[in-house]
Amino acid sequence: MNIDFPFHFDHHGRTAATDDDDHIRDMIEQFLFTNAGERVNRPEFGSGLLQLIFAPNSPELATALQFTIQAGLQRWLEDVVEVRNLEVTSKDSELRVVVQYLVRRTGQQQTQTFEKTGV
Protein backbone atom coordinates (compact mmCIF):
# COMPACT_ATOMS: atom_id res chain seq x y z
CA MET A 1 0.00 0.00 0.00
CA ASN A 2 1.32 3.43 -0.97
CA ILE A 3 0.24 6.19 1.41
CA ASP A 4 -0.78 9.36 -0.43
CA PHE A 5 1.14 12.57 0.15
CA PRO A 6 0.33 14.85 1.82
CA PHE A 7 -1.13 12.54 4.44
CA HIS A 8 -4.91 12.63 4.62
CA PHE A 9 -7.93 10.39 5.06
CA ASP A 10 -10.09 9.03 2.24
CA HIS A 11 -13.90 9.20 2.10
CA HIS A 12 -14.09 6.03 4.24
CA GLY A 13 -12.10 7.63 7.06
CA ARG A 14 -9.04 5.48 6.33
CA THR A 15 -5.52 6.51 5.42
CA ALA A 16 -5.60 7.59 1.77
CA ALA A 17 -3.69 5.35 -0.62
CA THR A 18 -2.40 6.08 -4.10
CA ASP A 19 -1.13 4.19 -7.14
CA ASP A 20 2.54 3.54 -7.88
CA ASP A 21 2.99 6.37 -10.40
CA ASP A 22 1.55 9.00 -8.06
CA HIS A 23 3.60 7.58 -5.17
CA ILE A 24 6.82 8.05 -7.18
CA ARG A 25 5.82 11.62 -8.01
CA ASP A 26 5.12 12.18 -4.30
CA MET A 27 8.58 10.86 -3.38
CA ILE A 28 10.25 13.25 -5.83
CA GLU A 29 8.19 16.13 -4.45
CA GLN A 30 9.17 15.21 -0.90
CA PHE A 31 12.83 15.18 -1.87
CA LEU A 32 12.57 18.57 -3.60
CA PHE A 33 10.76 20.37 -0.79
CA THR A 34 12.57 18.82 2.19
CA ASN A 35 15.59 20.53 3.73
CA ALA A 36 18.59 18.56 4.92
CA GLY A 37 18.24 17.86 8.63
CA GLU A 38 14.43 17.69 8.66
CA ARG A 39 14.31 13.90 8.77
CA VAL A 40 15.62 12.31 11.94
CA ASN A 41 16.72 9.00 10.42
CA ARG A 42 17.88 10.55 7.13
CA PRO A 43 19.51 13.87 8.01
CA GLU A 44 21.08 14.24 4.55
CA PHE A 45 17.79 13.71 2.69
CA GLY A 46 16.46 16.73 0.79
CA SER A 47 17.39 19.15 -1.96
CA GLY A 48 17.67 22.35 0.07
CA LEU A 49 15.38 24.12 -2.39
CA LEU A 50 13.36 25.80 0.37
CA GLN A 51 16.50 27.17 2.04
CA LEU A 52 16.93 29.37 -1.01
CA ILE A 53 13.50 30.97 -0.70
CA PHE A 54 15.01 34.41 0.02
CA ALA A 55 18.09 34.05 -2.17
CA PRO A 56 18.25 36.25 -5.26
CA ASN A 57 16.78 34.36 -8.19
CA SER A 58 19.23 33.96 -11.07
CA PRO A 59 20.29 31.54 -13.79
CA GLU A 60 23.32 30.66 -11.65
CA LEU A 61 21.03 29.61 -8.81
CA ALA A 62 19.01 27.45 -11.20
CA THR A 63 22.17 25.77 -12.53
CA ALA A 64 23.49 25.06 -9.03
CA LEU A 65 20.12 23.60 -8.02
CA GLN A 66 20.04 21.45 -11.14
CA PHE A 67 23.30 19.72 -10.18
CA THR A 68 22.28 19.37 -6.53
CA ILE A 69 18.86 17.93 -7.37
CA GLN A 70 20.26 15.54 -9.98
CA ALA A 71 22.79 14.14 -7.50
CA GLY A 72 20.20 13.84 -4.73
CA LEU A 73 17.64 12.06 -6.89
CA GLN A 74 20.31 9.60 -8.02
CA ARG A 75 21.32 8.99 -4.43
CA TRP A 76 17.92 8.61 -2.80
CA LEU A 77 15.64 7.30 -5.54
CA GLU A 78 17.93 5.47 -7.96
CA ASP A 79 16.37 2.10 -7.12
CA VAL A 80 12.94 3.47 -8.16
CA VAL A 81 13.66 5.86 -11.04
CA GLU A 82 16.35 6.65 -13.58
CA VAL A 83 16.52 10.40 -14.14
CA ARG A 84 16.69 11.00 -17.88
CA ASN A 85 16.53 14.79 -17.93
CA LEU A 86 16.33 17.50 -15.32
CA GLU A 87 15.72 21.14 -16.08
CA VAL A 88 15.65 23.92 -13.51
CA THR A 89 14.59 27.34 -14.74
CA SER A 90 14.19 30.61 -12.92
CA LYS A 91 12.07 33.47 -14.12
CA ASP A 92 11.16 36.46 -11.99
CA SER A 93 10.06 35.00 -8.65
CA GLU A 94 9.34 31.48 -9.91
CA LEU A 95 11.54 28.44 -9.84
CA ARG A 96 10.45 25.51 -12.02
CA VAL A 97 11.85 22.00 -11.88
CA VAL A 98 10.97 19.60 -14.71
CA VAL A 99 12.02 16.01 -14.09
CA GLN A 100 11.90 13.42 -16.85
CA TYR A 101 12.48 9.93 -15.52
CA LEU A 102 12.10 6.25 -16.28
CA VAL A 103 10.21 4.13 -13.76
CA ARG A 104 12.50 1.13 -13.26
CA ARG A 105 9.72 -1.31 -12.33
CA THR A 106 7.64 -0.71 -15.47
CA GLY A 107 10.04 0.90 -17.94
CA GLN A 108 7.53 3.73 -18.44
CA GLN A 109 8.84 7.26 -18.98
CA GLN A 110 7.26 10.10 -16.99
CA THR A 111 7.66 13.88 -16.95
CA GLN A 112 6.65 15.91 -13.90
CA THR A 113 6.80 19.64 -13.24
CA PHE A 114 7.26 21.18 -9.80
CA GLU A 115 7.00 24.93 -9.21
CA LYS A 116 7.81 27.19 -6.32
CA THR A 117 7.04 30.90 -6.36
CA GLY A 118 8.53 33.53 -4.10
CA VAL A 119 12.13 32.48 -4.67
Side-chain angles (χ1 to χ4, degrees):
M1 176 179 147
N2 297 322
I3 297 174
D4 199 12
F5 175 80
F7 181 82
H8 62 279
F9 298 104
D10 64 13
H11 60 279
H12 296 292
R14 298 182 187 128
T15 300
T18 189
D19 62 16
D20 290 337
D21 290 337
D22 188 53
H23 182 64
I24 291 170
R25 186 198 182 287
D26 291 346
M27 288 191 297
I28 294 171
E29 182 178 0
Q30 288 174 42
F31 170 76
L32 290 175
F33 299 115
T34 298
N35 290 320
E38 281 187 40
R39 296 220 172 159
V40 175
N41 294 327
R42 290 188 176 173
E44 297 173 2
F45 181 84
S47 70
L49 178 76
L50 294 179
Q51 291 177 337
L52 301 172
I53 193 105
F54 296 111
N57 196 358
S58 67
E60 293 80 14
L61 174 68
T63 302
L65 275 172
Q66 185 168 338
F67 287 112
T68 302
I69 292 169
Q70 176 84 26
L73 288 173
Q74 288 175 343
R75 177 179 180 189
W76 295 105
L77 299 176
E78 84 173 327
D79 59 329
V80 179
V81 298
E82 176 186 328
V83 177
R84 293 287 175 98
N85 190 29
L86 178 73
E87 184 178 324
V88 178
T89 56
S90 62
K91 184 176 180 184
D92 298 329
S93 66
E94 180 180 272
L95 190 65
R96 178 178 292 172
V97 180
V98 179
V99 183
Q100 186 179 48
Y101 58 91
L102 180 77
V103 178
R104 292 194 185 273
R105 187 180 56 80
T106 63
Q108 184 179 15
Q109 190 161 319
Q110 298 280 333
T111 301
Q112 300 292 335
T113 302
F114 305 90
E115 296 178 349
K116 185 68 179 167
T117 58
V119 176

